[in-house]
């Protein structure tokens, strides 16, 4: 049986077998690709027209970006997307931890400083598994700002540069 076609951006269709590939390069390896860069590349590769924006990005069960929550969060937008994924994977029980593997603690002078967080064996295993993957797949939804119409993009795959 052929895969069912799903309506997409600009009247295009895709199936569950289609994907959009974003590759890391020697100039900007996947590990350094910021969330903002990922969003811009995904929009361009998907052929999103003016007035369309990425409304959500998920990695498996983890929502790592939602425009209604994060579109003005410059710090998050400039964070490497793989760090956000790692933080989501290891921090599912701790919603206050925004920094992968680190937590903030206040010093005597009132300044915030980062301290390393002890990871569980399960978290270490999950990170190790993530580190060894050549690619990471994301579910991405796009919304037309004027009409509110929402489309699911084909799977968006972030490929890491091959290690030599």
């Amino acid at each position: 049986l052929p895969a069912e076609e799903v309506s997409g951006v600009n009247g295009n269709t895709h199936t569950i077998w289609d994907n959009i590939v974003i590759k890391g390069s020697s100039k900007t390896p996947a590990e350094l690709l910021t969330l903002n860069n990922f969003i811009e590349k995904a929009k361009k590769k998907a052929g999103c027209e003016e007035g369309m924006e990425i409304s959500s990005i998920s990695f498996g069960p983890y929502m790592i970006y939602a425009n209604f929550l994060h579109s003005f969060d410059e710090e998050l937008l400039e964070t490497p997307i793989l760090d956000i994924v790692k933080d989501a994977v290891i921090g599912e029980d701790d919603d206050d931890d925004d920094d992968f593997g680190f937590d903030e603690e206040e010093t005597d002078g009132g300044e915030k400083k980062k301290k390393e967080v002890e990871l569980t064996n399960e978290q270490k295993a999950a990170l190790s598994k993530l580190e060894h993957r050549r690619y990471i797949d994301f579910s991405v939804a796009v919304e037309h700002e004027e009409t509110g119409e929402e489309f699911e993009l084909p799977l968006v795959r972030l490929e890491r540069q091959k290690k030599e």
Side-chain angles (χ1 to χ4, degrees), residues 34-52:
T34 66
L35 176 59
N36 197 44
N37 292 137
F38 179 85
I39 288 170
E40 291 306 314
K41 286 178 182 255
K43 283 172 54 175
K44 183 177 179 183
K45 291 220 173 200
C48 291
E49 59 193 35
E50 190 74 27
M52 296 193 98

Side-chain angles (χ1 to χ4, degrees), residues 25-150:
S25 66
S26 56
K27 182 180 174 191
T28 308
E31 288 75 14
L32 299 179
L33 189 71
T34 66
L35 176 59
N36 197 44
N37 292 137
F38 179 85
I39 288 170
E40 291 306 314
K41 286 178 182 255
K43 283 172 54 175
K44 183 177 179 183
K45 291 220 173 200
C48 291
E49 59 193 35
E50 190 74 27
M52 296 193 98
E53 67 174 18
I54 301 287
S55 57
S56 67
I57 302 172
S58 299
F59 169 70
Y62 309 103
M63 180 169 286
I64 61 168
Y65 172 81
N67 63 342
F68 62 91
L69 293 173
H70 304 113
S71 64
F72 297 107
D73 186 344
E74 289 300 321
E75 186 177 342
L76 181 70
L77 290 169
E78 294 307 316
T79 300
I81 191 166
L82 292 180
D83 284 355
I84 298 168
V85 169
K86 290 173 187 175
D87 189 40
V89 169
I90 66 168
E92 63 184 293
D93 293 333
D94 182 8
D95 293 335
D96 297 332
D97 184 15
D98 292 334
D99 298 306
F100 160 67
F102 291 91
D103 206 354
E104 286 186 353
E105 91 179 348
E106 205 166 300
T107 62
D108 291 340
E111 296 177 13
K112 300 243 179 195
K113 108 179 169 185
K114 295 188 188 274
K115 67 174 183 174
E116 201 162 332
V117 174
E118 188 65 35
L119 300 177
T120 66
N121 287 337
E122 291 82 13
Q123 290 170 324
K124 289 176 186 175
L127 285 178
S128 176
K129 205 173 182 183
L130 198 57
E131 288 295 325
H132 289 89
R133 294 177 78 169
R134 279 201 355 98
Y135 59 85
I136 297 177
D137 292 331
F138 296 93
S139 296
V140 179
V142 178
E143 181 179 24
H144 194 284
E145 293 173 331
E146 285 183 24
T147 65
E149 193 172 11
E150 194 167 65

